Amino acid sequence: MVRRSNPSAQLVTLDRRPQQEVAQFLNAVDCLLLTSAHEGSPNIVKEALACNLPIVSVDVGDVAERIKEFEGCYIVPDEPTFLAEAVEKVLVRGKRLSGGYAAVDELSLAKVARRIQSVYERILF
């Protein structure tokens, strides 16, 4: 459907790729398309945000919460027409996100560990 208006569009799947390749692809592609039926807090969304990559996703897990503040990201129904329209919008816009990295920086292991440590310290002292 997207190729009707953008014949050069390609779908690249990232499943079964080493993490090093995933990071390279996220920095090279124009959009992350997530169509999972079940997710919790998908790492791929956080990785895409860290790369300032626009995201088109169905309403699964915490994706809507993660991307709500970003212009150029879309939550759409799990229907090909809606998915294609959102991807086309991202491609026409032709911009990376602004501030995606900062939004997920608070989720880094070091920062989460410090917050957990501070909870224990308040309990113990």
Side-chain angles (χ1 to χ4, degrees), residues 49 53-56 67-68 70-75 90 93 97:
L49 287 172
L53 182 64
I55 298 165
V56 172
I67 69 172
K68 70 181 178 185
F70 295 101
E71 182 180 342
C73 289
Y74 302 93
I75 297 292
V90 168
R93 184 173 183 263
L97 302 177

Side-chain angles (χ1 to χ4, degrees), residues 69-107:
E69 66 186 74
F70 295 101
E71 182 180 342
C73 289
Y74 302 93
I75 297 292
V76 296
D78 186 12
E79 297 291 333
T81 302
F82 293 108
L83 292 162
E85 287 173 358
V87 168
E88 287 173 13
K89 287 178 185 177
V90 168
L91 296 177
V92 167
R93 184 173 183 263
K95 294 181 186 177
R96 301 295 270 198
L97 302 177
S98 177
Y101 178 81
V104 293
D105 184 50
E106 287 300 313
L107 302 172

